[in-house]
Amino acid sequence: MDELELADWREQVTRLYLSDLDLAGFRAARDVLFAGHPQSPIPLADRPRFTGLRYFPPNPGAVLDVPVRPATGAISIDTGGPDGVVHYRRSGIAETPWGPLTLWWIEAYGGGLFLPFRDGTATRETYGGGRYLTDTVKGTYGRGLIVLPGGRLRLDFNYAYNASCAYDDRWACPLAPEENRITAPIRAGERTYH
């Protein structure tokens, strides 16, 4: 059943994100998950040739502890798919050296943190719609974004990843809103799939 497979996919993703693997081990385990799980976003026809996702080399300069300032307001994003319009509330604005990035709270049952961004590598080196640092609804805890005491976040762009729609058009994904588009390139994390 698709629902049970999807539940298992999310559990496997959560376990991976909460594991004690280093970056290289995390990437290798993620490749295994993407290669063989029935709910992988890699198209079924591509899986026999799939040899792994493409990443920038580890970048220590892409790990930052940043202040977060309060933010108000909301946006709604039409996913273009069965999820329809998803509503988000601004939770805060992370002050990064590349520019401010809004941290969103998903206004749905259970909620969750969401940090999409699009940087200067988009379309040439990374997916044109942008990447994610976290989407806790999908189980991506404790790697790309960690909440620290005192109104701060640790952002690790080495864990930036593509949304499912970057691999296959059958997926519909909320992409980075205008306020999370920065011009500086962040050469860390996942690169384009194709």
Side-chain angles (χ1 to χ4, degrees), residues 73-185:
I75 63 169
S76 297
I77 299 175
D78 187 345
T79 65
D83 291 334
V85 177
V86 179
H87 305 283
Y88 301 87
R89 178 175 40 85
R90 287 180 187 87
S91 292
I93 298 177
E95 299 293 346
T96 79
W98 303 291
L101 291 174
T102 301
L103 178 63
W104 300 95
W105 183 261
I106 301 167
E107 295 279 81
Y109 177 78
L113 290 175
F114 182 50
L115 182 52
F117 71 97
R118 185 178 190 268
D119 68 289
T121 65
T123 70
R124 291 181 304 281
E125 298 173 89
T126 62
Y127 180 59
R131 297 178 284 164
Y132 298 167
L133 264 188
T134 196
D135 182 351
T136 59
V137 167
K138 303 291 174 62
T140 60
Y141 300 97
R143 295 271 176 170
L145 183 149
I146 298 172
V147 178
L148 301 174
R152 297 183 66 80
L153 297 175
R154 175 164 299 133
L155 303 178
D156 188 340
F157 288 87
N158 290 294
Y159 291 97
Y161 63 96
N162 291 328
S164 297
C165 54
Y167 311 105
D168 190 339
D169 291 339
R170 71 184 172 109
W171 299 96
C173 306
L175 302 177
E178 192 64 39
E179 64 195 83
N180 276 24
R181 296 180 181 193
I182 53 180
T183 58

